[in-house]
Amino acid sequence: MMLSRRVLLGSAAAIPASGLISAAPARADRGAGPRDASTDLIAEWAEAPGAHPLIPDISHAGYRGGERPRAPRTIARVTDFGARPGNAADAAPAFNAAVQYAGTHGGGTILVPPGVYRLDSPIWMHWSNVVLKGSGRDRTILHFTRPLEQSYRPNLQPSLQSRWSWTGGQIWVIAPERKAKSEAEDFAASEGWLLGDTLAEVGAASRGQRTLLVSDTRSLQAGDLVVLETDNPADAGVLKHLAGDVPGTATYDWPVKAPQLTTGSSGQYIQYATLQWPVRIEAVLGERLIRLAQPLRYDLRPSWPSRLREIGPTVHDVGVESLTIRNELKPMTIHNRHPGANGLCFQAVHDCWADDVRVENCDLGFGFTTTKAVTLTGVVVGGRSAHHSFACRMQSHDNLVDGFEIEAFTVPLPAGALHHGLNLEGLSAGNVWRRGRMAEGTFDTHRAMPFENARTDITLVNNGRVGGSAASGPLFGARIAHWNVRITSGNPYAIQLADVAPRSLTVGLQGLTSDPSGLPRDFQGDLENGTFLLGRRPAVPDLYAAQRRR
């Protein structure tokens, strides 16, 4: 199903000449209401999930592929370790002692009774199967008095930009080995997985395929989470493929000369040396065959060597629930000088969650840095203006943010500052924001070519800005979907993708007063994308829900 040209439809459903929607009758999506182009698109995607040229496969996003997280049994209270609400004493040592106790006793839930707790330094979630649970975000308040720059360590780059502007948390879910390596490198190198041994070489396969031919299965078991690592060649073949192989990828000046993390003006990203996608093995089918729990997101070709590797030291099944992270109210700094008045950060971890969590007065609200399958539900960013309300970076994959809100800022942005909104960057894929309300921010893309992500069923004012260094590569890869988005300001900036994103689609954009995205175009020529139901609410209101039902 190849597309010969960009498809742009008006307010009425139609069948484009390029053949994106088949002329044959398609199954209606259950409960979708009247049939329109969105119904046909979902039916067409369902014929070969994972292989549609425009629609991302987001059906496996979230904790354990979309399961509902459940907190383990209660093992202690923070008050058992000396924390006292309303006390002038620093409660951070008590919180960390409680988390360590749960972690070293096989896991469990640490309860935080109602009240306001003073904390002068971060809470480190270094152990799997540990949940920190308050009594409700309006009843349990963790008041952090100092940003990371003061309470943990300085983190300025040579350019005088602070890395705490986009990573790190007052509650930080990270393996101790990852933290120690970052500290030893002064946070100047990779922030991602600490990968282990190669378990098997992987043969050629096509996007959407789940069964793989491998060199040996003796080191592989059903249920294992492994990292599929693919080398990007000197001709940037992998990157061109992730951009949909549209004609403009042949002439784009791909930044492939810096294989490691760079600093300064060239950006803060893994520079395309390898693509790393954690994926679970569903079954071992013999001496040389395995089946994955979800379809491949890209081709594997002989000229792009691929392998399965151990994921290395990590943390999983960690939850934060029913509390507010409140930073001391201090003025927001100019752009990228932020000292780290942050919220909740997940780094190099998988299958974790947060539920009913509010972050106030933050530089960064919720951060994904090289994560897999993390679910956020019922989360809120509020208080004074923020830099990143949500950041998803450094090859973070298959995360789900469901039922979120960015409130109107109580203190507006100062001169020289920016607010981004829903951030994607750094070859991140499979991530979903759904059922959201945004009084501030936009659908931010910080370059380094995120691909195959979706924002769906969201209402926003659309007053934020896109960021990222131009030296870090394209704004978009293929299969970015903006589906049933309601813009109250009329501003199409960064939401309407027809003029900038290759092999992507916008469905049911409502409230637009003009058409262009307002973003620079990376790829020339035909982008082979589609716009459907402009100005209309689609019969299928939520792309994620529709794919999960299938």
Side-chain angles (χ1 to χ4, degrees), residues 152-177:
Y152 173 39
R153 59 186 287 145
N155 202 359
L156 289 177
Q157 301 179 85
S159 64
L160 298 182
Q161 293 183 345
S162 171
R163 295 181 182 87
W164 302 142
S165 298
W166 53 79
T167 192
Q170 301 284 28
I171 301 179
W172 200 331
V173 186
I174 183 174
E177 297 90 343

Side-chain angles (χ1 to χ4, degrees), residues 210-343:
R210 290 179 58 191
T211 300
L212 299 184
L213 179 67
V214 298
S215 58
D216 194 343
T217 60
R218 284 177 295 180
S219 298
L220 306 174
Q221 296 184 42
D224 286 351
L225 186 71
V226 297
V227 174
L228 175 60
E229 183 178 60
T230 300
D231 294 339
N232 181 45
D235 67 356
V238 169
L239 302 184
K240 294 173 184 177
H241 174 60
L242 298 183
D245 291 310
V246 296
T249 62
T251 55
Y252 183 78
D253 184 17
W254 293 97
V256 297
K257 297 178 181 179
Q260 301 300 322
L261 192 73
T262 61
T263 59
S265 62
S266 58
Q268 302 81 32
Y269 307 97
I270 293 176
Q271 296 294 304
Y272 308 115
T274 62
L275 180 62
Q276 296 174 349
W277 180 47
V279 65
R280 200 168 298 279
I281 298 173
E282 184 175 87
V284 176
L285 305 176
E287 295 181 354
R288 297 194 61 195
L289 286 177
I290 62 170
R291 184 170 64 243
L292 303 180
Q294 61 188 106
L296 277 177
R297 193 160 278 132
Y298 40 83
D299 289 353
L300 305 178
R301 299 180 184 175
S303 58
W304 308 339
S306 297
R307 63 203 67 88
L308 298 177
R309 294 184 63 181
E310 292 178 338
I311 200 165
T314 186
V315 169
H316 61 85
D317 290 275
V318 170
V320 179
E321 300 182 357
S322 304
L323 54 81
T324 285
I325 300 169
R326 175 179 293 162
N327 289 282
E328 186 81 9
L329 180 57
K330 296 180 180 180
M332 186 180 181
T333 67
I334 63 173
H335 190 230
N336 283 341
R337 295 288 181 91
H338 309 292
N342 294 348

Side-chain angles (χ1 to χ4, degrees), residues 280-542:
R280 200 168 298 279
I281 298 173
E282 184 175 87
V284 176
L285 305 176
E287 295 181 354
R288 297 194 61 195
L289 286 177
I290 62 170
R291 184 170 64 243
L292 303 180
Q294 61 188 106
L296 277 177
R297 193 160 278 132
Y298 40 83
D299 289 353
L300 305 178
R301 299 180 184 175
S303 58
W304 308 339
S306 297
R307 63 203 67 88
L308 298 177
R309 294 184 63 181
E310 292 178 338
I311 200 165
T314 186
V315 169
H316 61 85
D317 290 275
V318 170
V320 179
E321 300 182 357
S322 304
L323 54 81
T324 285
I325 300 169
R326 175 179 293 162
N327 289 282
E328 186 81 9
L329 180 57
K330 296 180 180 180
M332 186 180 181
T333 67
I334 63 173
H335 190 230
N336 283 341
R337 295 288 181 91
H338 309 292
N342 294 348
L344 175 57
C345 180
F346 298 89
Q347 182 175 350
V349 301
H350 67 92
D351 295 296
C352 297
W353 74 90
D355 177 61
D356 187 36
V357 174
R358 176 185 175 87
V359 177
E360 294 181 3
N361 306 328
C362 61
D363 298 323
L364 165 65
F366 295 88
F368 301 138
T369 298
T370 313
T371 57
K372 165 76 175 187
V374 174
T375 292
L376 310 182
T377 52
V379 294
V380 180
V381 176
R384 61 99 162 147
S385 55
H387 176 220
H388 284 294
S389 291
F390 296 87
C392 184
R393 52 188 301 276
M394 302 294 289
Q395 299 204 47
S396 289
H397 302 298
D398 300 303
N399 302 293
L400 172 64
V401 183
D402 186 359
F404 67 93
E405 183 175 5
I406 303 174
E407 297 177 345
F409 294 147
T410 57
V411 180
L413 282 166
L418 293 176
H419 176 238
H420 299 297
L422 307 185
N423 160 271
L424 278 165
E425 60 185 82
L427 296 178
S428 296
N431 302 290
V432 181
W433 280 266
R434 68 185 292 247
R435 300 195 300 183
R437 294 179 296 172
M438 299 171 58
E440 308 281 355
T442 190
F443 292 179
D444 169 46
T445 299
H446 253 61
R447 294 192 174 271
M449 207 170 71
F451 66 101
E452 198 146 328
N453 302 283
R455 289 110 163 186
T456 177
D457 192 13
I458 296 171
T459 300
L460 77 161
V461 175
N462 200 26
N463 60 3
R465 302 300 298 175
V466 164
S469 167
S472 295
L475 285 164
F476 302 100
R479 288 173 293 281
I480 303 293
H482 292 170
W483 188 292
N484 189 23
V485 178
R486 301 165 293 275
I487 303 171
T488 61
S489 65
N491 182 12
Y493 175 79
I495 310 294
Q496 169 60 287
L497 302 177
D499 58 338
V500 289
R503 291 204 169 216
S504 296
L505 81 166
T506 50
V507 176
L509 301 190
Q510 301 149 65
L512 299 182
T513 56
S514 59
D515 189 51
S517 68
L519 299 177
R521 181 167 178 164
D522 294 301
F523 305 117
Q524 301 306 309
D526 190 354
L527 296 179
E528 302 180 3
N529 55 25
T531 295
F532 299 87
L533 302 171
L534 196 60
R536 292 177 53 188
R537 184 180 188 275
V540 178
D542 187 327

